[in-house]
mmCIF file of all heavy atoms in Angstrom:
data_model
loop_
_atom_site.group_PDB
_atom_site.id
_atom_site.type_symbol
_atom_site.label_atom_id
_atom_site.label_comp_id
_atom_site.label_asym_id
_atom_site.label_seq_id
_atom_site.Cartn_x
_atom_site.Cartn_y
_atom_site.Cartn_z
ATOM 1 N N ASP A 66 -14.869 5.514 31.645
ATOM 2 C CA ASP A 66 -14.322 6.862 31.775
ATOM 3 C C ASP A 66 -14.577 7.361 33.191
ATOM 4 O O ASP A 66 -15.503 6.895 33.876
ATOM 5 C CB ASP A 66 -14.945 7.796 30.749
ATOM 6 C CG ASP A 66 -14.450 7.513 29.340
ATOM 7 O OD1 ASP A 66 -13.409 6.844 29.202
ATOM 8 O OD2 ASP A 66 -15.108 7.953 28.380
ATOM 9 N N ALA A 67 -13.765 8.304 33.633
ATOM 10 C CA ALA A 67 -13.829 8.761 35.015
ATOM 11 C C ALA A 67 -13.970 10.279 35.092
ATOM 12 O O ALA A 67 -13.677 10.997 34.129
ATOM 13 C CB ALA A 67 -12.589 8.318 35.781
ATOM 14 N N VAL A 68 -14.407 10.724 36.255
ATOM 15 C CA VAL A 68 -14.564 12.152 36.547
ATOM 16 C C VAL A 68 -13.913 12.436 37.890
ATOM 17 O O VAL A 68 -14.045 11.647 38.839
ATOM 18 C CB VAL A 68 -16.053 12.544 36.592
ATOM 19 C CG1 VAL A 68 -16.241 13.949 37.167
ATOM 20 C CG2 VAL A 68 -16.673 12.452 35.208
ATOM 21 N N GLY A 69 -13.182 13.541 37.973
ATOM 22 C CA GLY A 69 -12.654 14.014 39.239
ATOM 23 C C GLY A 69 -13.120 15.433 39.476
ATOM 24 O O GLY A 69 -13.288 16.199 38.514
ATOM 25 N N VAL A 70 -13.336 15.801 40.742
ATOM 26 C CA VAL A 70 -13.766 17.172 41.034
ATOM 27 C C VAL A 70 -13.109 17.647 42.322
ATOM 28 O O VAL A 70 -13.268 17.030 43.378
ATOM 29 C CB VAL A 70 -15.306 17.283 41.103
ATOM 30 C CG1 VAL A 70 -15.920 16.280 42.059
ATOM 31 C CG2 VAL A 70 -15.739 18.693 41.471
ATOM 32 N N LEU A 71 -12.317 18.698 42.189
ATOM 33 C CA LEU A 71 -11.717 19.345 43.354
ATOM 34 C C LEU A 71 -12.742 20.307 43.932
ATOM 35 O O LEU A 71 -13.147 21.275 43.275
ATOM 36 C CB LEU A 71 -10.454 20.101 42.953
ATOM 37 C CG LEU A 71 -9.800 20.941 44.053
ATOM 38 C CD1 LEU A 71 -9.387 20.069 45.241
ATOM 39 C CD2 LEU A 71 -8.600 21.701 43.513
ATOM 40 N N LEU A 72 -13.166 20.048 45.161
ATOM 41 C CA LEU A 72 -14.175 20.878 45.827
ATOM 42 C C LEU A 72 -13.467 22.029 46.537
ATOM 43 O O LEU A 72 -12.610 21.818 47.396
ATOM 44 C CB LEU A 72 -14.968 20.025 46.828
ATOM 45 C CG LEU A 72 -15.621 18.761 46.234
ATOM 46 C CD1 LEU A 72 -16.313 17.956 47.332
ATOM 47 C CD2 LEU A 72 -16.596 19.123 45.124
ATOM 48 N N TYR A 73 -13.856 23.249 46.157
ATOM 49 C CA TYR A 73 -13.175 24.442 46.675
ATOM 50 C C TYR A 73 -14.189 25.416 47.242
ATOM 51 O O TYR A 73 -15.162 25.788 46.571
ATOM 52 C CB TYR A 73 -12.370 25.124 45.573
ATOM 53 C CG TYR A 73 -11.662 26.386 46.008
ATOM 54 C CD1 TYR A 73 -10.751 26.372 47.056
ATOM 55 C CD2 TYR A 73 -11.907 27.602 45.358
ATOM 56 C CE1 TYR A 73 -10.107 27.531 47.459
ATOM 57 C CE2 TYR A 73 -11.256 28.764 45.747
ATOM 58 C CZ TYR A 73 -10.358 28.720 46.802
ATOM 59 O OH TYR A 73 -9.728 29.873 47.209
ATOM 60 N N ASP A 74 -13.955 25.820 48.480
ATOM 61 C CA ASP A 74 -14.787 26.816 49.162
ATOM 62 C C ASP A 74 -14.089 28.169 49.028
ATOM 63 O O ASP A 74 -13.064 28.426 49.664
ATOM 64 C CB ASP A 74 -14.936 26.427 50.636
ATOM 65 C CG ASP A 74 -15.893 27.334 51.393
ATOM 66 O OD1 ASP A 74 -16.041 28.520 51.032
ATOM 67 O OD2 ASP A 74 -16.503 26.863 52.375
ATOM 68 N N VAL A 75 -14.639 29.023 48.189
ATOM 69 C CA VAL A 75 -14.024 30.320 47.911
ATOM 70 C C VAL A 75 -14.015 31.184 49.170
ATOM 71 O O VAL A 75 -13.005 31.848 49.478
ATOM 72 C CB VAL A 75 -14.767 31.033 46.767
ATOM 73 C CG1 VAL A 75 -14.201 32.425 46.544
ATOM 74 C CG2 VAL A 75 -14.673 30.215 45.473
ATOM 75 N N GLU A 76 -15.116 31.204 49.908
ATOM 76 C CA GLU A 76 -15.220 32.082 51.079
ATOM 77 C C GLU A 76 -14.177 31.724 52.140
ATOM 78 O O GLU A 76 -13.572 32.606 52.746
ATOM 79 C CB GLU A 76 -16.626 31.973 51.685
ATOM 80 C CG GLU A 76 -17.725 32.544 50.814
ATOM 81 C CD GLU A 76 -17.596 34.053 50.659
ATOM 82 O OE1 GLU A 76 -17.137 34.716 51.616
ATOM 83 O OE2 GLU A 76 -17.952 34.568 49.578
ATOM 84 N N ARG A 77 -13.974 30.434 52.376
ATOM 85 C CA ARG A 77 -13.042 29.995 53.421
ATOM 86 C C ARG A 77 -11.647 29.701 52.874
ATOM 87 O O ARG A 77 -10.756 29.368 53.646
ATOM 88 C CB ARG A 77 -13.607 28.751 54.112
ATOM 89 C CG ARG A 77 -14.901 29.022 54.871
ATOM 90 C CD ARG A 77 -15.477 27.751 55.485
ATOM 91 N NE ARG A 77 -16.650 28.048 56.291
ATOM 92 C CZ ARG A 77 -17.880 28.219 55.793
ATOM 93 N NH1 ARG A 77 -18.074 28.107 54.477
ATOM 94 N NH2 ARG A 77 -18.897 28.504 56.582
ATOM 95 N N ASP A 78 -11.460 29.796 51.567
ATOM 96 C CA ASP A 78 -10.197 29.440 50.923
ATOM 97 C C ASP A 78 -9.756 28.048 51.378
ATOM 98 O O ASP A 78 -8.628 27.830 51.810
ATOM 99 C CB ASP A 78 -9.113 30.471 51.236
ATOM 100 C CG ASP A 78 -7.889 30.321 50.330
ATOM 101 O OD1 ASP A 78 -8.035 29.769 49.215
ATOM 102 O OD2 ASP A 78 -6.788 30.723 50.748
ATOM 103 N N ALA A 79 -10.702 27.106 51.261
ATOM 104 C CA ALA A 79 -10.475 25.747 51.756
ATOM 105 C C ALA A 79 -10.847 24.736 50.671
ATOM 106 O O ALA A 79 -11.701 24.996 49.814
ATOM 107 C CB ALA A 79 -11.310 25.492 53.007
ATOM 108 N N VAL A 80 -10.202 23.594 50.730
ATOM 109 C CA VAL A 80 -10.510 22.505 49.804
ATOM 110 C C VAL A 80 -11.057 21.326 50.595
ATOM 111 O O VAL A 80 -10.773 21.159 51.792
ATOM 112 C CB VAL A 80 -9.268 22.071 49.005
ATOM 113 C CG1 VAL A 80 -8.784 23.205 48.116
ATOM 114 C CG2 VAL A 80 -8.151 21.591 49.917
ATOM 115 N N VAL A 81 -11.829 20.490 49.891
ATOM 116 C CA VAL A 81 -12.396 19.293 50.493
ATOM 117 C C VAL A 81 -11.760 18.089 49.804
ATOM 118 O O VAL A 81 -11.880 17.923 48.592
ATOM 119 C CB VAL A 81 -13.926 19.244 50.312
ATOM 120 C CG1 VAL A 81 -14.500 17.995 50.980
ATOM 121 C CG2 VAL A 81 -14.567 20.502 50.873
ATOM 122 N N LEU A 82 -11.053 17.279 50.589
ATOM 123 C CA LEU A 82 -10.397 16.078 50.071
ATOM 124 C C LEU A 82 -11.000 14.843 50.726
ATOM 125 O O LEU A 82 -11.565 14.916 51.816
ATOM 126 C CB LEU A 82 -8.892 16.126 50.336
ATOM 127 C CG LEU A 82 -8.115 17.244 49.647
ATOM 128 C CD1 LEU A 82 -6.658 17.208 50.075
ATOM 129 C CD2 LEU A 82 -8.230 17.140 48.132
ATOM 130 N N VAL A 83 -10.853 13.705 50.053
ATOM 131 C CA VAL A 83 -11.330 12.436 50.611
ATOM 132 C C VAL A 83 -10.142 11.490 50.774
ATOM 133 O O VAL A 83 -9.173 11.549 50.020
ATOM 134 C CB VAL A 83 -12.422 11.801 49.725
ATOM 135 C CG1 VAL A 83 -13.669 12.680 49.730
ATOM 136 C CG2 VAL A 83 -11.946 11.587 48.287
ATOM 137 N N GLU A 84 -10.253 10.614 51.754
ATOM 138 C CA GLU A 84 -9.201 9.641 52.055
ATOM 139 C C GLU A 84 -9.805 8.250 52.048
ATOM 140 O O GLU A 84 -10.827 8.016 52.690
ATOM 141 C CB GLU A 84 -8.588 9.942 53.426
ATOM 142 C CG GLU A 84 -7.472 9.008 53.833
ATOM 143 C CD GLU A 84 -6.953 9.320 55.240
ATOM 144 O OE1 GLU A 84 -7.619 10.085 55.968
ATOM 145 O OE2 GLU A 84 -5.891 8.784 55.592
ATOM 146 N N GLN A 85 -9.184 7.327 51.302
ATOM 147 C CA GLN A 85 -9.708 5.962 51.248
ATOM 148 C C GLN A 85 -8.624 4.985 50.842
ATOM 149 O O GLN A 85 -7.583 5.358 50.292
ATOM 150 C CB GLN A 85 -10.883 5.873 50.268
ATOM 151 C CG GLN A 85 -10.553 6.242 48.842
ATOM 152 C CD GLN A 85 -11.787 6.274 47.964
ATOM 153 O OE1 GLN A 85 -12.591 5.334 47.971
ATOM 154 N NE2 GLN A 85 -11.955 7.353 47.203
ATOM 155 N N PHE A 86 -8.885 3.690 51.095
ATOM 156 C CA PHE A 86 -7.971 2.622 50.698
ATOM 157 C C PHE A 86 -7.991 2.451 49.191
ATOM 158 O O PHE A 86 -9.041 2.478 48.557
ATOM 159 C CB PHE A 86 -8.390 1.311 51.366
ATOM 160 C CG PHE A 86 -7.681 0.106 50.815
ATOM 161 C CD1 PHE A 86 -6.363 -0.150 51.170
ATOM 162 C CD2 PHE A 86 -8.321 -0.749 49.926
ATOM 163 C CE1 PHE A 86 -5.697 -1.255 50.650
ATOM 164 C CE2 PHE A 86 -7.664 -1.852 49.409
ATOM 165 C CZ PHE A 86 -6.349 -2.119 49.775
ATOM 166 N N ARG A 87 -6.791 2.269 48.590
ATOM 167 C CA ARG A 87 -6.663 2.052 47.154
ATOM 168 C C ARG A 87 -5.839 0.796 46.897
ATOM 169 O O ARG A 87 -4.649 0.723 47.258
ATOM 170 C CB ARG A 87 -5.993 3.260 46.490
ATOM 171 C CG ARG A 87 -6.875 4.501 46.419
ATOM 172 C CD ARG A 87 -8.198 4.224 45.787
ATOM 173 N NE ARG A 87 -8.859 5.414 45.252
ATOM 174 C CZ ARG A 87 -10.091 5.413 44.789
ATOM 175 N NH1 ARG A 87 -10.803 4.278 44.806
ATOM 176 N NH2 ARG A 87 -10.627 6.514 44.301
ATOM 177 N N ALA A 88 -6.465 -0.205 46.275
ATOM 178 C CA ALA A 88 -5.785 -1.485 46.041
ATOM 179 C C ALA A 88 -4.557 -1.327 45.163
ATOM 180 O O ALA A 88 -3.561 -2.039 45.334
ATOM 181 C CB ALA A 88 -6.760 -2.484 45.414
ATOM 182 N N GLY A 89 -4.604 -0.394 44.202
ATOM 183 C CA GLY A 89 -3.466 -0.191 43.320
ATOM 184 C C GLY A 89 -2.245 0.352 44.035
ATOM 185 O O GLY A 89 -1.135 0.302 43.486
ATOM 186 N N ALA A 90 -2.423 0.877 45.235
ATOM 187 C CA ALA A 90 -1.303 1.419 46.015
ATOM 188 C C ALA A 90 -0.928 0.501 47.172
ATOM 189 O O ALA A 90 -0.279 0.927 48.128
ATOM 190 C CB ALA A 90 -1.668 2.808 46.550
ATOM 191 N N LEU A 91 -1.315 -0.776 47.070
ATOM 192 C CA LEU A 91 -1.077 -1.711 48.171
ATOM 193 C C LEU A 91 0.396 -1.810 48.545
ATOM 194 O O LEU A 91 0.748 -1.976 49.709
ATOM 195 C CB LEU A 91 -1.618 -3.097 47.798
ATOM 196 C CG LEU A 91 -1.596 -4.165 48.893
ATOM 197 C CD1 LEU A 91 -2.400 -3.711 50.112
ATOM 198 C CD2 LEU A 91 -2.125 -5.484 48.362
ATOM 199 N N ASP A 92 1.270 -1.698 47.548
ATOM 200 C CA ASP A 92 2.706 -1.795 47.817
ATOM 201 C C ASP A 92 3.367 -0.448 48.038
ATOM 202 O O ASP A 92 4.602 -0.352 48.049
ATOM 203 C CB ASP A 92 3.398 -2.522 46.661
ATOM 204 C CG ASP A 92 2.957 -3.964 46.532
ATOM 205 O OD1 ASP A 92 2.679 -4.592 47.581
ATOM 206 O OD2 ASP A 92 2.863 -4.482 45.393
ATOM 207 N N ASP A 93 2.583 0.608 48.200
ATOM 208 C CA ASP A 93 3.152 1.926 48.462
ATOM 209 C C ASP A 93 3.944 1.877 49.777
ATOM 210 O O ASP A 93 3.450 1.367 50.784
ATOM 211 C CB ASP A 93 2.022 2.963 48.566
ATOM 212 C CG ASP A 93 2.549 4.375 48.663
ATOM 213 O OD1 ASP A 93 3.038 4.762 49.744
ATOM 214 O OD2 ASP A 93 2.455 5.114 47.665
ATOM 215 N N PRO A 94 5.153 2.410 49.783
ATOM 216 C CA PRO A 94 5.980 2.308 50.990
ATOM 217 C C PRO A 94 5.419 3.094 52.178
ATOM 218 O O PRO A 94 5.774 2.794 53.330
ATOM 219 C CB PRO A 94 7.333 2.876 50.556
ATOM 220 C CG PRO A 94 7.044 3.691 49.340
ATOM 221 C CD PRO A 94 5.888 3.026 48.667
ATOM 222 N N ALA A 95 4.576 4.084 51.927
ATOM 223 C CA ALA A 95 4.006 4.863 53.027
ATOM 224 C C ALA A 95 2.663 4.282 53.473
ATOM 225 O O ALA A 95 2.491 3.867 54.615
ATOM 226 C CB ALA A 95 3.839 6.314 52.613
ATOM 227 N N SER A 96 1.696 4.212 52.551
ATOM 228 C CA SER A 96 0.363 3.728 52.909
ATOM 229 C C SER A 96 -0.490 3.553 51.662
ATOM 230 O O SER A 96 -0.377 4.352 50.725
ATOM 231 C CB SER A 96 -0.336 4.728 53.847
ATOM 232 O OG SER A 96 -1.694 4.356 54.054
ATOM 233 N N PRO A 97 -1.362 2.532 51.613
ATOM 234 C CA PRO A 97 -2.312 2.418 50.511
ATOM 235 C C PRO A 97 -3.570 3.255 50.711
ATOM 236 O O PRO A 97 -4.476 3.202 49.890
ATOM 237 C CB PRO A 97 -2.630 0.914 50.481
ATOM 238 C CG PRO A 97 -2.452 0.473 51.889
ATOM 239 C CD PRO A 97 -1.356 1.336 52.470
ATOM 240 N N TRP A 98 -3.668 3.996 51.804
ATOM 241 C CA TRP A 98 -4.759 4.958 51.979
ATOM 242 C C TRP A 98 -4.317 6.290 51.380
ATOM 243 O O TRP A 98 -3.263 6.829 51.741
ATOM 244 C CB TRP A 98 -5.102 5.135 53.453
ATOM 245 C CG TRP A 98 -6.101 4.117 53.940
ATOM 246 C CD1 TRP A 98 -7.456 4.309 54.114
ATOM 247 C CD2 TRP A 98 -5.840 2.768 54.330
ATOM 248 N NE1 TRP A 98 -8.043 3.157 54.573
ATOM 249 C CE2 TRP A 98 -7.078 2.187 54.705
ATOM 250 C CE3 TRP A 98 -4.698 1.984 54.369
ATOM 251 C CZ2 TRP A 98 -7.184 0.869 55.143
ATOM 252 C CZ3 TRP A 98 -4.804 0.669 54.795
ATOM 253 C CH2 TRP A 98 -6.033 0.127 55.174
ATOM 254 N N LYS A 99 -5.094 6.819 50.454
ATOM 255 C CA LYS A 99 -4.689 7.974 49.684
ATOM 256 C C LYS A 99 -5.629 9.159 49.875
ATOM 257 O O LYS A 99 -6.858 8.990 49.975
ATOM 258 C CB LYS A 99 -4.634 7.618 48.191
ATOM 259 C CG LYS A 99 -3.510 6.636 47.840
ATOM 260 C CD LYS A 99 -2.151 7.248 48.134
ATOM 261 C CE LYS A 99 -1.005 6.301 47.903
ATOM 262 N NZ LYS A 99 0.288 6.897 48.315
ATOM 263 N N LEU A 100 -5.044 10.356 49.910
ATOM 264 C CA LEU A 100 -5.801 11.606 49.880
ATOM 265 C C LEU A 100 -6.044 11.982 48.425
ATOM 266 O O LEU A 100 -5.097 12.035 47.628
ATOM 267 C CB LEU A 100 -5.028 12.721 50.582
ATOM 268 C CG LEU A 100 -4.958 12.666 52.098
ATOM 269 C CD1 LEU A 100 -3.931 13.659 52.623
ATOM 270 C CD2 LEU A 100 -6.329 12.942 52.717
ATOM 271 N N GLU A 101 -7.296 12.261 48.092
ATOM 272 C CA GLU A 101 -7.665 12.472 46.693
ATOM 273 C C GLU A 101 -8.756 13.528 46.582
ATOM 274 O O GLU A 101 -9.388 13.898 47.573
ATOM 275 C CB GLU A 101 -8.198 11.168 46.083
ATOM 276 C CG GLU A 101 -7.255 9.996 46.167
ATOM 277 C CD GLU A 101 -7.903 8.701 45.731
ATOM 278 O OE1 GLU A 101 -9.135 8.574 45.827
ATOM 279 O OE2 GLU A 101 -7.168 7.806 45.285
ATOM 280 N N VAL A 102 -8.998 13.962 45.360
ATOM 281 C CA VAL A 102 -10.214 14.714 45.082
ATOM 282 C C VAL A 102 -11.347 13.707 44.937
ATOM 283 O O VAL A 102 -11.130 12.512 44.710
ATOM 284 C CB VAL A 102 -10.070 15.569 43.790
ATOM 285 C CG1 VAL A 102 -8.915 16.538 43.930
ATOM 286 C CG2 VAL A 102 -9.905 14.701 42.556
ATOM 287 N N VAL A 103 -12.571 14.174 45.063
ATOM 288 C CA VAL A 103 -13.745 13.330 44.823
ATOM 289 C C VAL A 103 -13.693 12.825 43.381
ATOM 290 O O VAL A 103 -13.349 13.572 42.461
ATOM 291 C CB VAL A 103 -15.035 14.137 45.078
ATOM 292 C CG1 VAL A 103 -16.245 13.463 44.451
ATOM 293 C CG2 VAL A 103 -15.238 14.343 46.576
ATOM 294 N N ALA A 104 -14.037 11.554 43.189
ATOM 295 C CA ALA A 104 -13.962 10.991 41.840
ATOM 296 C C ALA A 104 -14.919 9.820 41.706
ATOM 297 O O ALA A 104 -15.338 9.217 42.695
ATOM 298 C CB ALA A 104 -12.538 10.545 41.519
ATOM 299 N N GLY A 105 -15.257 9.499 40.448
ATOM 300 C CA GLY A 105 -16.122 8.357 40.191
ATOM 301 C C GLY A 105 -16.130 8.007 38.717
ATOM 302 O O GLY A 105 -15.581 8.730 37.878
ATOM 303 N N LEU A 106 -16.776 6.886 38.404
ATOM 304 C CA LEU A 106 -16.845 6.389 37.039
ATOM 305 C C LEU A 106 -18.132 6.839 36.362
ATOM 306 O O LEU A 106 -19.180 6.980 37.007
ATOM 307 C CB LEU A 106 -16.764 4.858 37.038
ATOM 308 C CG LEU A 106 -15.511 4.258 37.679
ATOM 309 C CD1 LEU A 106 -15.574 2.733 37.625
ATOM 310 C CD2 LEU A 106 -14.258 4.775 36.993
ATOM 311 N N VAL A 107 -18.043 7.033 35.068
ATOM 312 C CA VAL A 107 -19.195 7.468 34.275
ATOM 313 C C VAL A 107 -20.016 6.247 33.872
ATOM 314 O O VAL A 107 -19.501 5.339 33.208
ATOM 315 C CB VAL A 107 -18.741 8.237 33.016
ATOM 316 C CG1 VAL A 107 -19.946 8.692 32.216
ATOM 317 C CG2 VAL A 107 -17.860 9.423 33.393
#
Side-chain angles (χ1 to χ4, degrees):
D66 288 342
V68 168
V70 53
L71 174 60
L72 305 177
Y73 178 58
D74 185 331
V75 176
E76 292 294 327
R77 295 177 176 82
D78 193 24
V80 296
V81 182
L82 296 176
V83 294
E84 181 183 13
Q85 61 186 311
F86 169 76
R87 288 307 201 188
L91 187 58
D92 295 326
D93 187 285
S96 172
W98 273 260
K99 292 297 176 185
L100 287 168
E101 303 172 334
V102 301
V103 163
L106 302 179
V107 181

